[in-house]
């Protein structure tokens, strides 16, 4: 059973069209929810960590939020350079400190 | 400064052969992680080291997979008797410690088993 589920699998937006990506998790006790960006042929690049429900983090056009069961990555007025796969990962209290459970990602395409 | 580097960038081998994949972490990072990523999937945890010891190897799929980090820096992932299902991108990451928020990823090694 997947512990981290992301939706949608793929999202196409016109430049400037805001939207949200969803990440739901079923880990037994959350010890951190992470967002990464991955460009084709590269390793993931860290964006945010969230720890508790109600927490929000922002970086340029991206804002990540966390509830008790899911996280959202809001993209405001996206640009073509925001096109990438966005990965969500969870750290579980029942696992070792370094282990992360990743979702399959949302492939975002922003066209001009 | 230099990021995480992985060699080779691409490896093509035949079924049944032995392969070694190398990871050079960021200098000073004590934690090192190996993941495997298949097409259209997220990274799948394999093993991580804190220093020289494997802190968690529960993600290794079977005993054909083994990893070492003898001096607490460079790590090698070793795969014996490769199978076609082992084809994937193998990602390495490092962080200051295993409690750090941010894992810094390398570009990966694309392994193809024919």
């Amino acid at each position: 059973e997947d512990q981290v589920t992301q939706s949608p699998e793929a999202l196409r937006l016109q430049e400037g069209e805001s939207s949200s990506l969803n990440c739901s998790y079923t880990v037994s006790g959350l010890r951190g929810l992470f967002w990464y960006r991955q460009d084709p042929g590269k390793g993931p690049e860290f964006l945010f960590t969230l720890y508790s429900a109600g927490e929000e983090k922002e970086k340029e056009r991206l804002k990540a939020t966390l509830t008790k069961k899911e996280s959202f990555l809001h993209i405001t007025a996206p640009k073509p350079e925001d096109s990438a796969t966005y990965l969500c990962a969870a750290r579980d209290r029942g696992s070792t400190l370094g282990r992360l459970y990743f979702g399959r990602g949302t492939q975002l395409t922003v066209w001009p | 400064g230099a990021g995480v580097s992985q060699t080779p960038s691409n490896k093509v081998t035949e079924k049944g052969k032995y392969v070694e994949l190398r990871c050079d972490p960021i200098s000073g990072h004590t934690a090192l992680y190996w993941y495997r990523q298949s097409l259209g999937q997220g990274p799948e945890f394999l093993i991580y080291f804190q220093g020289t010891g494997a802190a968690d190897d529960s993600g290794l799929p079977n005993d054909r997979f083994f990893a070492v980090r003898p001096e607490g820096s460079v790590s090698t992932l070793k795969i014996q008797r490769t199978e076609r299902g082992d084809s994937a991108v193998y990602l390495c990451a490092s962080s200051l410690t295993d409690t750090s928020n941010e894992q810094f990823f390398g570009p990966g090694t694309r392994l193809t088993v024919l």
Side-chain angles (χ1 to χ4, degrees), chain B residues 11-16 82-87 111-114:
Chain B
K11 177 69 177 179
V12 180
T13 191
E14 293 180 345
K15 180 175 177 294
T82 51
E83 300 177 357
R84 293 195 179 88
D86 298 335
S87 297
L111 176 66
T112 303
V113 182
L114 300 176

Side-chain angles (χ1 to χ4, degrees), chain A residues 97-110:
Chain A
L97 288 170
R99 179 167 189 162
L100 295 183
Y101 296 89
F102 278 87
R104 296 184 180 187
T106 293
Q107 185 174 3
L108 174 66
T109 304
V110 182

Side-chain angles (χ1 to χ4, degrees), chain B residues 9-23:
Chain B
S9 55
N10 278 284
K11 177 69 177 179
V12 180
T13 191
E14 293 180 345
K15 180 175 177 294
K17 299 289 188 183
Y18 168 83
V19 296
E20 289 189 352
L21 311 179
R22 177 187 168 106
C23 173

